Amino acid sequence: MADASSVTNAPARGRFSSRSGFILAAAGSAIGLGNIWGFPTQAAQNGGGAFLLIYLAMVFVLAYPMLVAELTIGRLSQQNPISALRNLASGPQTRRIATVGGALGVCALSLILSFYAIVAGWLVAYMLAPVCQLLGLEELAGWFTGFSSSRNLAMMLVIMLLTILVVRDGVSSGIERWSKRLMPTLLVLLVVLAVYILNQPGAMTGLRMYLQPDFQQISPDLFVNAMGQAFFSLSLGVTGMMVYGSYLAKQENLPATAAMVAGLDTLVAFIAGLLIIPAMFVAQQNGVTIYAADGSLLSSDTLVFTVLPAMFDTMGSAGPFLAIGFFALLTIAAITSTISMLESPVNMACEQFQQPRRKMSWLAGGLITLVSATVVLNFEALFGLVITATTVYAQPLLGMLYALLLMWVLKRDRLLNELKQGFPELETSLFWKIWPWYVKFICPLMILLVFIH
Ligand code: TRP
């Protein structure tokens, strides 16, 4: 059968070998530090169950429709993100906008990788520290857990190297193969750790806080935070999902497949909450301080790098193994995400410059490593700035642009035909009655409202 590559004479492009392979890889992209660290911390700070409810609503009403849109753009043309976006255009003007939007997306995604690799490196360091302690290498353990440029640089390099090695091997023999190994491991680790923590004294206080909504905490800010969290968690708006969509077979039902990905992502965030929030109260029971001086719960970096390690220290001989398991969980979650961040620039470079994947993996990966090293060496000035520029601005704004191009510029019958290939009953489905109209008007409006706020 002739596929897109033989028609356009482009070098053969990869594709996922099965539906489950795609779902695991896309869920691997979605499930990351945002789920296991970001979501529980935000929930702990923003009224527990109240945040959970608003977050679920945001995933359902905003993030899921946008995910279907981004995957559709990729699969429509089965080309790299820039070509895929240009393919939506109807004239020279929209073509230019699409090109710039695509290029900005690939740049933003590369920048996301440059800071994410640093954070992921810290997690590897915290996984190796208890190993060193068990081996009596106290000094090395101290280097792993102390904040220094040398540690940050070395660990970031480890993450980038692993990421490049997977992406280099291609879509099905690199990304898909590793997603199939790592994602089940992640799920098992997560469930085992959650069950263990829930059986510790103090856990029930945390569980109550997580599941009982405190509606007094609901505020406009909470909506903004929940929306940002949902966008980040589903890897939206910067071509990461678009490129995965371009490797999905035409006969797959895209709305249903995307629902699986969003569902898995949300499920893992929910279970991570069952682990992290009770763990904070187990830590308190064991004498670790979990509230800051102003009465708020300690969160983000202090939570992961101070509170939880202190809790593991109070858990006797099981402690180091729990610590290793916990940071291994975070490392795995991070690596399946960094893979998806590198894939888009690599695919773009291969197709735009007609170069082999191996070479482009080292080139794009190497360039991003240099950017990341610059961030490490100018940490105070750049780290927060890069995070804000990419996740607060680029993700929602570019996501909005892509959705507008898909819905306002592309002919509606082309969209219908694209989705019908894997979903023959599409025209009569509830999805088709709501989704196009919804992504055309409501999603951009919601994103704008949040910006005005
Ligand atoms: N979604 C991942 C997480 O929750 C991170 C991630 C992967 C991402 N790919 C992305 C974020 C693309 C933004 C854009 O940690």
Side-chain angles (χ1 to χ4, degrees), residues 342 345-347 349-351 353 355-366:
L342 184 59
V346 166
N347 174 242
C350 292
E351 292 184 11
F353 309 130
Q355 291 287 326
R357 166 178 282 271
R358 283 181 168 263
K359 202 162 135 194
M360 290 301 103
S361 303
W362 287 109
L363 183 72

Side-chain angles (χ1 to χ4, degrees), residues 29-30 32-35 109 112 116 232-233 235 238 337 340-341 395:
S29 167
L33 305 182
N35 302 62
L109 186 60
I112 292 179
Y116 205 90
F232 187 79
S233 194
S235 313
V238 281
S337 294
S340 81
M341 295 175 196
Q395 275 198 285

